[in-house]
Amino acid sequence: YCVNLGDETSWKVKADNAKSFKIYDILKDEYAQTDGELQFDKYQSYILYFDDKTVEKTTAAEKSEIRLGGVYEVAGKVENYLTIDFLRYSFDGENYSEPLHHMGVFDEMLKKRYKGDLWLRYEFDVKEKFGNAELLIENTNLLEVYLNGERAERTGSSAVEKELYRYAAKNIRLGKNEVTVKINYFQGENVYYALFGENVTESLKNCLAYDTDIEAIYLKGDFGVYGDFTAGKMNNVVLGENFYLAKPEKEIESLIEGGYPFFAGDVTLKKKITVTDTNAKLVFDERFHLLDVKINGKAAGKLIFGSELDASDFLVKGENEIELTLTVGNRNLLGPFHTPEQEDFSVGPYTFERLGTWKDGKSAILRESYSFVKTIV
C-alpha cells in the first residue's frame, strides 16, 4: 500500500522480488499493470501486487485538462436543511430570554441546577412560500412541540437517528415563524458531582452522560436557505448569517450561496460544456467527499481519493453534458459553525460545548455568524 504524504507527485516504486506491479482499483474492482512509475494525484494512494512480468514502458499522450465552474442546473427535488441553534428559553411559557446559543442555555441550566418544565423557542424567517417541510427535533425529554402556536404532530423517527423525531410543519407562514418545544428538564446528582464536585477524576468526567440535553433543531424540506454571505479567512470557507427561506433556485453557482448552506446528502448538478479535444480529463481542484460523474448519460467513474477523472472515452467533439452527483457530509449541517478558527481540523466535545467560557449564556469564543466549508461547487 503506497500513499503520498508529501508534495511530490511522481514516484518510482521498486522491489527486489518483483519485475512489475499490478495496481488494484478498489472503486472499479479492476487491475492494471505498471512498471512501478506512479503518478500521485492529490490525496491519492495505491494498492500494489508484486508481479514477475516485464512491462514495456509506453508514453501516453498528454491529456488536456477540463475544469468546470460557472452555473449548474440542480436536477430533481432536493431535500434541504436549515439548522436552528439559537433559541429563547422560558420557565413559565410566557416570558422568554433574549436569543442565546443552545449550549449557552444548557450551561445556564447547569449553573442554576434547574429542574422542571422548560420552554425553548426557536425562530426562522420565510420570505416566499415553498413546498413541503418537516421539523426534526432531538428527544430531550420532550413533552410538547408547537409551530406558530399550533400543536405539531409527531410523524415518526428520522432516518438519520432514531431519537431525532419528525414533526409535521403544515402551518409555516410568511415572516417570522416560532417553534416552541416544551421539555422536562432535570439532571441527576451524579451529573453535578462530575461537573462541580471535588477530587473528580478525568475518567469519571469522561463517563458523564446528561439526563437532559438542550439541542439545535432542524427544518427539512423543499426550500432554499438564503442570507448574507462573506468570504472567510480561508478560500474554502464562507461565512453566513441572517438566513431566510424561499423557493429553491434551479440554477446555482455555489451550493452555499445558492440556497444550500446547511445541506447534507446527495445532490445532482448538471451543466453543458463544449469540447474540441476529446483526449481530456476532468480536474477538480476543490475538496469533496464523494463524487459520481456521468458524461453524456454514461457512468464515467467515481472519485473519492483522487481529483482527476479520465473523460476521453465519454467525450464527443462539440456539446457534452456533465452530471455530477455530490455526496455531501454533515459538516455544514452539524458544524462546528461558530469557532474563531472558522474551520477546525481537530474537533472534539469542547469545540461545541465551550465549558468554562460561558457567562450569562454567552461565550467570548463564540462567533454568532456561521462558517460553511465549500465542496466543489
Side-chain angles (χ1 to χ4, degrees), residues 322-351:
I322 309 296
E323 182 177 308
L324 308 178
T325 297
L326 295 173
T327 298
V328 182
N330 287 330
R331 163 59 178 80
N332 290 343
L333 176 66
L334 304 179
F337 299 115
H338 305 289
T339 56
E341 293 79 13
Q342 298 184 9
E343 184 183 13
D344 299 75
F345 296 101
S346 177
V347 177
Y350 182 80
T351 313

Side-chain angles (χ1 to χ4, degrees), residues 39 58-65 277-281 283 308 310 312:
Q39 280 294 129
T58 59
T59 303
E62 188 69 23
K63 296 184 183 295
S64 60
E65 296 181 350
D277 180 9
T278 59
N279 184 40
K281 58 185 178 181
V283 179
E308 297 182 357
D310 186 355
S312 53

Side-chain angles (χ1 to χ4, degrees), residues 166-203:
R166 300 165 54 211
Y167 287 86
K170 298 178 181 178
N171 58 320
I172 291 176
R173 63 194 180 195
L174 293 176
K176 187 172 79 171
N177 288 255
E178 297 177 341
V179 179
T180 303
V181 180
K182 182 182 178 182
I183 66 174
N184 174 29
Y185 182 91
F186 68 93
Q187 304 290 353
E189 283 303 315
N190 59 315
V191 171
Y192 295 118
Y193 174 73
L195 291 174
F196 308 122
E198 295 182 0
N199 303 318
V200 177
T201 63
E202 191 66 27
S203 60

Side-chain angles (χ1 to χ4, degrees), residues 4 6-11 38-42 44 46:
N4 183 12
D7 296 324
E8 296 295 325
T9 57
S10 298
W11 286 91
L38 299 178
Q39 280 294 129
F40 281 90
D41 194 4
K42 289 191 298 185
Q44 191 172 15
Y46 291 96

Side-chain angles (χ1 to χ4, degrees), residues 27-80:
L27 294 179
K28 296 180 180 179
D29 192 22
E30 295 176 353
Y31 293 89
Q33 204 82 23
T34 177
D35 63 351
E37 292 280 357
L38 299 178
Q39 280 294 129
F40 281 90
D41 194 4
K42 289 191 298 185
Y43 325 119
Q44 191 172 15
S45 60
Y46 291 96
I47 298 174
L48 303 178
Y49 291 85
F50 291 2
D51 205 333
D52 57 4
K53 292 181 180 179
T54 300
V55 177
E56 292 185 10
K57 190 170 183 179
T58 59
T59 303
E62 188 69 23
K63 296 184 183 295
S64 60
E65 296 181 350
I66 299 174
R67 286 175 165 81
L68 303 175
V71 177
Y72 292 83
E73 174 194 349
V74 181
K77 184 179 178 180
V78 180
E79 291 288 347
N80 201 9

Side-chain angles (χ1 to χ4, degrees), residues 182-343:
K182 182 182 178 182
I183 66 174
N184 174 29
Y185 182 91
F186 68 93
Q187 304 290 353
E189 283 303 315
N190 59 315
V191 171
Y192 295 118
Y193 174 73
L195 291 174
F196 308 122
E198 295 182 0
N199 303 318
V200 177
T201 63
E202 191 66 27
S203 60
L204 179 59
K205 289 183 179 180
N206 291 338
C207 295
L208 176 61
Y210 297 109
D211 294 296
T212 313
D213 291 304
I214 296 178
E215 301 282 0
I217 68 169
Y218 309 90
L219 192 66
K220 179 183 179 182
D222 180 22
F223 50 75
V225 180
Y226 308 96
D228 298 327
F229 296 96
T230 57
K233 292 191 293 187
M234 294 154 283
N235 291 334
N236 60 303
V237 173
V238 176
L239 304 182
E241 58 187 342
N242 303 322
F243 304 114
Y244 64 89
L245 305 185
K247 289 181 180 178
E249 297 287 344
K250 285 302 179 184
E251 292 189 342
I252 64 171
E253 290 188 58
S254 161
L255 274 178
I256 295 171
E257 296 170 77
Y260 301 90
F262 296 96
F263 178 77
D266 291 345
V267 58
T268 299
L269 307 173
K270 294 181 179 181
K271 73 179 291 95
K272 292 183 178 180
I273 62 172
T274 301
V275 171
T276 55
D277 180 9
T278 59
N279 184 40
K281 58 185 178 181
L282 295 177
V283 179
F284 301 94
D285 296 312
E286 304 85 357
R287 286 184 292 171
F288 58 88
H289 303 113
L290 176 63
L291 180 61
D292 194 344
V293 182
K294 287 184 179 179
I295 301 176
N296 297 321
K298 297 180 180 179
K302 296 180 180 181
L303 291 176
I304 185 170
F305 300 115
S307 60
E308 297 182 357
L309 180 69
D310 186 355
S312 53
D313 291 338
F314 307 95
L315 293 171
V316 297
K317 286 189 176 182
E319 188 176 78
N320 293 259
E321 183 180 72
I322 309 296
E323 182 177 308
L324 308 178
T325 297
L326 295 173
T327 298
V328 182
N330 287 330
R331 163 59 178 80
N332 290 343
L333 176 66
L334 304 179
F337 299 115
H338 305 289
T339 56
E341 293 79 13
Q342 298 184 9
E343 184 183 13

